[in-house]
PDB file of all heavy atoms in Angstrom:
ATOM      1  N   TYR A 429    -211.380-102.884-159.148  1.00  0.00           N
ATOM      2  CA  TYR A 429    -211.646-104.283-159.517  1.00  0.00           C
ATOM      3  C   TYR A 429    -212.399-105.007-158.354  1.00  0.00           C
ATOM      4  O   TYR A 429    -211.933-105.028-157.247  1.00  0.00           O
ATOM      5  CB  TYR A 429    -210.304-104.971-159.778  1.00  0.00           C
ATOM      6  CG  TYR A 429    -210.307-106.430-159.920  1.00  0.00           C
ATOM      7  CD1 TYR A 429    -211.141-107.067-160.839  1.00  0.00           C
ATOM      8  CD2 TYR A 429    -209.454-107.212-159.160  1.00  0.00           C
ATOM      9  CE1 TYR A 429    -211.120-108.471-161.048  1.00  0.00           C
ATOM     10  CE2 TYR A 429    -209.464-108.598-159.302  1.00  0.00           C
ATOM     11  CZ  TYR A 429    -210.272-109.205-160.240  1.00  0.00           C
ATOM     12  OH  TYR A 429    -210.227-110.542-160.397  1.00  0.00           O
ATOM     13  N   MET A 433    -211.413-114.963-155.404  1.00  0.00           N
ATOM     14  CA  MET A 433    -210.277-115.843-155.363  1.00  0.00           C
ATOM     15  C   MET A 433    -210.295-116.881-156.501  1.00  0.00           C
ATOM     16  O   MET A 433    -209.278-117.267-157.047  1.00  0.00           O
ATOM     17  CB  MET A 433    -210.164-116.533-154.000  1.00  0.00           C
ATOM     18  CG  MET A 433    -209.556-115.642-152.918  1.00  0.00           C
ATOM     19  SD  MET A 433    -207.843-115.178-153.206  1.00  0.00           S
ATOM     20  CE  MET A 433    -207.026-116.699-152.764  1.00  0.00           C
ATOM     21  N   GLN A 447    -192.471-120.374-169.052  1.00  0.00           N
ATOM     22  CA  GLN A 447    -191.190-120.974-168.791  1.00  0.00           C
ATOM     23  C   GLN A 447    -190.158-119.995-168.153  1.00  0.00           C
ATOM     24  O   GLN A 447    -189.347-120.400-167.403  1.00  0.00           O
ATOM     25  CB  GLN A 447    -190.609-121.503-170.083  1.00  0.00           C
ATOM     26  CG  GLN A 447    -191.417-122.677-170.718  1.00  0.00           C
ATOM     27  CD  GLN A 447    -191.465-123.881-169.818  1.00  0.00           C
ATOM     28  OE1 GLN A 447    -190.437-124.334-169.352  1.00  0.00           O
ATOM     29  NE2 GLN A 447    -192.649-124.362-169.505  1.00  0.00           N
ATOM     30  N   VAL A 452    -191.248-111.048-157.892  1.00  0.00           N
ATOM     31  CA  VAL A 452    -190.635-110.421-156.719  1.00  0.00           C
ATOM     32  C   VAL A 452    -191.696-110.424-155.662  1.00  0.00           C
ATOM     33  O   VAL A 452    -192.839-110.013-155.832  1.00  0.00           O
ATOM     34  CB  VAL A 452    -190.212-108.966-157.051  1.00  0.00           C
ATOM     35  CG1 VAL A 452    -189.528-108.364-155.817  1.00  0.00           C
ATOM     36  CG2 VAL A 452    -189.284-108.943-158.277  1.00  0.00           C
ATOM     37  N   ASP A 456    -193.053-109.361-144.900  1.00  0.00           N
ATOM     38  CA  ASP A 456    -192.843-108.779-143.593  1.00  0.00           C
ATOM     39  C   ASP A 456    -193.120-109.874-142.572  1.00  0.00           C
ATOM     40  O   ASP A 456    -194.308-110.217-142.315  1.00  0.00           O
ATOM     41  CB  ASP A 456    -193.731-107.529-143.351  1.00  0.00           C
ATOM     42  CG  ASP A 456    -193.279-106.745-142.159  1.00  0.00           C
ATOM     43  OD1 ASP A 456    -192.460-107.231-141.417  1.00  0.00           O
ATOM     44  OD2 ASP A 456    -193.774-105.564-142.021  1.00  0.00           O
ATOM     45  N   ASP A 486    -191.556-107.461-182.914  1.00  0.00           N
ATOM     46  CA  ASP A 486    -191.119-108.810-182.718  1.00  0.00           C
ATOM     47  C   ASP A 486    -191.329-109.167-181.246  1.00  0.00           C
ATOM     48  O   ASP A 486    -190.540-108.789-180.364  1.00  0.00           O
ATOM     49  CB  ASP A 486    -189.615-108.933-183.068  1.00  0.00           C
ATOM     50  CG  ASP A 486    -189.068-110.347-182.870  1.00  0.00           C
ATOM     51  OD1 ASP A 486    -189.829-111.231-182.407  1.00  0.00           O
ATOM     52  OD2 ASP A 486    -187.840-110.561-183.123  1.00  0.00           O
ATOM     53  N   LEU A 499    -199.275-103.376-150.367  1.00  0.00           N
ATOM     54  CA  LEU A 499    -200.259-102.871-149.389  1.00  0.00           C
ATOM     55  C   LEU A 499    -199.966-101.400-149.068  1.00  0.00           C
ATOM     56  O   LEU A 499    -198.811-100.959-149.081  1.00  0.00           O
ATOM     57  CB  LEU A 499    -200.254-103.694-148.083  1.00  0.00           C
ATOM     58  CG  LEU A 499    -200.695-105.170-148.177  1.00  0.00           C
ATOM     59  CD1 LEU A 499    -200.598-105.840-146.878  1.00  0.00           C
ATOM     60  CD2 LEU A 499    -202.068-105.256-148.758  1.00  0.00           C
ATOM     61  N   LEU A 514    -185.772-104.800-160.577  1.00  0.00           N
ATOM     62  CA  LEU A 514    -185.423-106.255-160.488  1.00  0.00           C
ATOM     63  C   LEU A 514    -186.022-107.040-161.663  1.00  0.00           C
ATOM     64  O   LEU A 514    -185.357-107.924-162.174  1.00  0.00           O
ATOM     65  CB  LEU A 514    -186.010-106.849-159.149  1.00  0.00           C
ATOM     66  CG  LEU A 514    -185.306-106.356-157.888  1.00  0.00           C
ATOM     67  CD1 LEU A 514    -186.031-106.845-156.638  1.00  0.00           C
ATOM     68  CD2 LEU A 514    -183.813-106.772-157.886  1.00  0.00           C
ATOM     69  N   VAL A 533    -206.724 -96.944-168.560  1.00  0.00           N
ATOM     70  CA  VAL A 533    -206.910 -95.535-168.930  1.00  0.00           C
ATOM     71  C   VAL A 533    -208.214 -95.011-168.285  1.00  0.00           C
ATOM     72  O   VAL A 533    -209.305 -95.567-168.488  1.00  0.00           O
ATOM     73  CB  VAL A 533    -207.004 -95.385-170.475  1.00  0.00           C
ATOM     74  CG1 VAL A 533    -207.269 -93.934-170.834  1.00  0.00           C
ATOM     75  CG2 VAL A 533    -205.729 -95.903-171.147  1.00  0.00           C
ATOM     76  N   ASP A 536    -209.607 -87.880-166.428  1.00  0.00           N
ATOM     77  CA  ASP A 536    -209.247 -87.096-165.218  1.00  0.00           C
ATOM     78  C   ASP A 536    -210.438 -86.737-164.393  1.00  0.00           C
ATOM     79  O   ASP A 536    -210.318 -86.527-163.186  1.00  0.00           O
ATOM     80  CB  ASP A 536    -208.552 -85.774-165.639  1.00  0.00           C
ATOM     81  CG  ASP A 536    -207.155 -86.078-166.219  1.00  0.00           C
ATOM     82  OD1 ASP A 536    -206.614 -87.118-165.948  1.00  0.00           O
ATOM     83  OD2 ASP A 536    -206.640 -85.181-166.902  1.00  0.00           O
ATOM     84  N   ARG A 541    -212.437 -91.014-158.876  1.00  0.00           N
ATOM     85  CA  ARG A 541    -211.062 -90.595-158.658  1.00  0.00           C
ATOM     86  C   ARG A 541    -210.928 -89.936-157.334  1.00  0.00           C
ATOM     87  O   ARG A 541    -211.560 -88.881-157.074  1.00  0.00           O
ATOM     88  CB  ARG A 541    -210.650 -89.671-159.833  1.00  0.00           C
ATOM     89  CG  ARG A 541    -209.179 -89.161-159.695  1.00  0.00           C
ATOM     90  CD  ARG A 541    -208.904 -88.174-160.809  1.00  0.00           C
ATOM     91  NE  ARG A 541    -207.596 -87.527-160.670  1.00  0.00           N
ATOM     92  CZ  ARG A 541    -206.583 -87.715-161.465  1.00  0.00           C
ATOM     93  NH1 ARG A 541    -206.715 -88.467-162.509  1.00  0.00           N
ATOM     94  NH2 ARG A 541    -205.439 -87.012-161.250  1.00  0.00           N
ATOM     95  N   GLY A 544    -206.708 -85.831-154.542  1.00  0.00           N
ATOM     96  CA  GLY A 544    -205.291 -85.942-154.276  1.00  0.00           C
ATOM     97  C   GLY A 544    -204.640 -87.194-154.940  1.00  0.00           C
ATOM     98  O   GLY A 544    -203.458 -87.461-154.670  1.00  0.00           O
ATOM     99  N   PRO A 559    -195.267 -93.976-172.928  1.00  0.00           N
ATOM    100  CA  PRO A 559    -196.519 -94.497-173.429  1.00  0.00           C
ATOM    101  C   PRO A 559    -196.505 -94.698-174.945  1.00  0.00           C
ATOM    102  O   PRO A 559    -195.854 -93.904-175.654  1.00  0.00           O
ATOM    103  CB  PRO A 559    -197.542 -93.453-173.012  1.00  0.00           C
ATOM    104  CG  PRO A 559    -196.757 -92.175-172.901  1.00  0.00           C
ATOM    105  CD  PRO A 559    -195.374 -92.566-172.495  1.00  0.00           C
ATOM    106  N   GLU A 576    -219.217-107.903-165.644  1.00  0.00           N
ATOM    107  CA  GLU A 576    -217.945-107.466-166.260  1.00  0.00           C
ATOM    108  C   GLU A 576    -218.206-106.483-167.440  1.00  0.00           C
ATOM    109  O   GLU A 576    -219.205-106.627-168.112  1.00  0.00           O
ATOM    110  CB  GLU A 576    -217.178-108.640-166.839  1.00  0.00           C
ATOM    111  CG  GLU A 576    -216.565-109.561-165.767  1.00  0.00           C
ATOM    112  CD  GLU A 576    -215.668-110.654-166.395  1.00  0.00           C
ATOM    113  OE1 GLU A 576    -215.564-110.628-167.654  1.00  0.00           O
ATOM    114  OE2 GLU A 576    -215.107-111.427-165.669  1.00  0.00           O
TER     115      GLU A 576
END
Side-chain angles (χ1 to χ4, degrees):
Y429 171 56
M433 283 295 285
Q447 295 298 308
V452 182
D456 194 346
D486 180 359
L499 294 181
L514 292 173
V533 177
D536 290 341
R541 179 184 171 112
E576 288 186 1

